[in-house]
Amino acid sequence: MKKTIVIVDDHILIAQALKGIIENFEDFQVLYECENGKDLQDKFQLKKPIPDIVLLDISMPIMDGFETAKWLKKLHPGILIMILSMQNDEQSVIKMIQLGINGYLLKNTSPYELEKALKQVAKEGFYYQDWASRIVFASLNNKKEEQRTIKLTDREKEFLKYTITEMNYKEIAEKMFCSPRTVESYRDSLFEKLELKTRVGLAVFALKNGFE
């Protein structure tokens, strides 16, 4: 069954071009396009189909990508968000990751990489190009001294090791001989201690700090 996508971009020609490209991908189909976040809200209220993935631009009038991502994560947390933007500055990338988006691509990416990114987001829940990953690692480096003062329990450290695997939370719970609810409590505690919101952030922290 194909994964469904909604494109949110105020440039109509770009949105239509993206739709044409994605319709050639075997595993995906575009449901509709929106001009900005407010347009997306309106279509949801009109009972338009809810997609698996939102392909989201950042710079848009009325309701930009930051506001849209925040709204989606609050009211529709099950939707995967892939940023497709011209903005590659550190502030935009870090802010979007803090909002909990699942992937970040630049608009000059190739159709091949777009398909690859969509497949990985659909399967694993995240995708970041190398340049975006470097920004994340640099940000964590800047907080290195601060992170050293954070006290983690042995079970939280054990959980961190599993965040860099392909195991889901239920499988991690089995490995740790505890319930999925307990694993979720470790995750939520780490989110609060490390000021993170996604498993991607936990995985990057785990890699950077040697929890392998």
Side-chain angles (χ1 to χ4, degrees):
M1 188 173 182
K2 291 188 175 184
K3 294 291 184 181
T4 56
I5 295 174
V6 164
I7 299 168
V8 184
D9 194 311
D10 63 315
H11 294 93
I12 296 174
L13 286 177
I14 291 177
Q16 291 179 347
L18 276 171
K19 180 180 179 181
I21 291 170
I22 293 170
E23 285 180 344
N24 288 318
F25 298 163
E26 184 177 350
D27 300 322
F28 302 94
Q29 69 177 85
V30 176
L31 296 176
Y32 48 91
E33 305 102 69
C34 301
E35 294 183 11
N36 52 58
K38 182 62 170 60
D39 190 19
L40 180 66
Q41 288 180 334
D42 292 343
K43 284 184 167 60
F44 279 14
Q45 289 175 356
L46 291 172
K47 306 299 182 183
K48 288 282 189 178
I50 302 296
D52 298 307
I53 301 170
V54 166
L55 201 56
L56 182 64
D57 191 13
I58 293 179
S59 181
M60 298 180 292
I62 303 175
M63 186 172 177
D64 65 16
F66 298 115
E67 295 175 276
T68 305
K70 185 176 182 179
W71 174 75
L72 283 170
K73 284 301 179 182
K74 181 177 180 180
L75 296 181
H76 300 278
I79 295 177
L80 299 165
I81 303 174
M82 169 74 76
I83 300 301
L84 186 62
S85 173
M86 290 302 295
Q87 295 181 218
N88 62 352
D89 59 285
E90 179 177 337
Q91 184 177 4
S92 295
V93 176
I94 296 299
K95 185 174 180 179
M96 275 300 184
I97 290 173
Q98 289 173 338
L99 288 172
I101 58 102
N102 303 90
Y104 205 115
L105 284 174
L106 293 179
K107 284 186 175 179
N108 63 0
T109 192
S110 67
Y112 168 80
E113 182 154 22
L114 174 60
E115 183 177 20
K116 175 185 173 183
L118 289 171
K119 284 182 176 180
Q120 184 169 321
V121 163
K123 181 181 178 182
E124 300 180 14
F126 67 93
Y127 181 86
Y128 293 91
Q129 292 175 305
D130 289 342
W131 66 269
S133 297
R134 284 194 293 271
I135 287 176
V136 176
F137 275 93
S139 174
L140 288 174
N141 268 336
N142 292 336
K143 294 183 178 181
K144 193 170 182 180
E145 293 301 321
E146 177 185 341
Q147 289 168 351
R148 284 176 179 169
T149 66
I150 297 172
K151 293 184 178 180
L152 304 179
T153 68
D154 289 340
R155 292 293 272 176
E156 287 170 346
K157 292 176 182 177
E158 183 181 359
F159 171 72
L160 276 171
K161 290 192 296 185
Y162 292 121
T163 62
I164 60 177
T165 71
E166 293 185 358
M167 288 188 286
N168 58 38
Y169 289 129
K170 182 179 179 182
E171 291 168 335
I172 292 174
E174 292 173 356
K175 279 283 187 181
M176 295 183 69
F177 301 102
C178 63
S179 69
R181 186 176 294 274
T182 300
V183 160
E184 289 174 1
S185 73
Y186 296 146
R187 176 201 63 193
D188 293 343
S189 175
L190 286 165
F191 280 167
E192 184 176 351
K193 288 181 179 180
L194 303 176
E195 298 181 356
L196 298 169
K197 292 187 178 181
T198 65
R199 178 170 174 172
V200 175
L202 292 178
V204 171
F205 176 88
L207 285 168
K208 195 62 187 175
N209 290 273
F211 293 101
E212 298 182 58

